[in-house]
Amino acid sequence: MTTYHLDLGDNRAETLDSVTKLTLVGSELDLDNLLTTGVRAPVPLWGDVLLTRGDDRHEATTTWVEDVENTNTHQDVVLIAGDPADPASRRVRLADAWASTTYHLDEDDDPDAFVISFKDITIEK
């Protein structure tokens, strides 16, 4: 299983326990498979993804995900598959992302899980 990091930019990154339930335009996909096959589309591929935080938390991430649905918090974020210091690690750019109103989607199952929504996805090589 791939280790993922959520990068908010400006050295604000944290290790995630898991990245699951990636949904693009209503279809659920496996992110690990998407990284190997790539994604190309003539239109933006909007969607959301369920992230589960680990023990090593960055204060900026906490602030960002708790400010649910605040349009001022929309920003591009990057999911890094592997070591963030390794330039060969695959990067998934989520354009115009925000913490979704479904922030506590799986709170009963895992209180550390939250959903972010985004307006487009790009796999960077």
Side-chain angles (χ1 to χ4, degrees), residues 46-66:
W46 51 268
D48 50 54
V49 63
L50 178 67
L51 308 178
T52 305
R53 299 180 79 182
D55 294 331
D56 183 23
R57 297 180 176 207
H58 195 289
E59 183 180 318
T61 303
T62 300
T63 301
W64 187 70
V65 300
E66 288 179 352

Side-chain angles (χ1 to χ4, degrees), residues 65-85:
V65 300
E66 288 179 352
D67 205 359
V68 176
E69 292 291 337
N70 179 347
T71 57
N72 293 326
T73 65
H74 288 212
Q75 70 174 74
D76 290 359
V77 300
V78 177
L79 296 175
I80 303 169
D83 181 358

Side-chain angles (χ1 to χ4, degrees), residues 2-9 11 13 31 34-36 38-39 77-95 120-125:
T2 305
T3 300
Y4 287 94
H5 297 79
L6 174 64
D7 185 357
L8 297 176
N11 295 318
L31 183 56
L34 188 66
L35 286 172
T36 58
V39 60
V77 300
V78 177
L79 296 175
I80 303 169
D83 181 358
D86 183 355
S89 293
R90 301 295 300 264
R91 284 157 168 75
V92 180
R93 180 168 302 280
L94 304 176
D120 197 11
I121 184 172
T122 307
I123 309 292
E124 300 176 352
K125 296 182 182 187

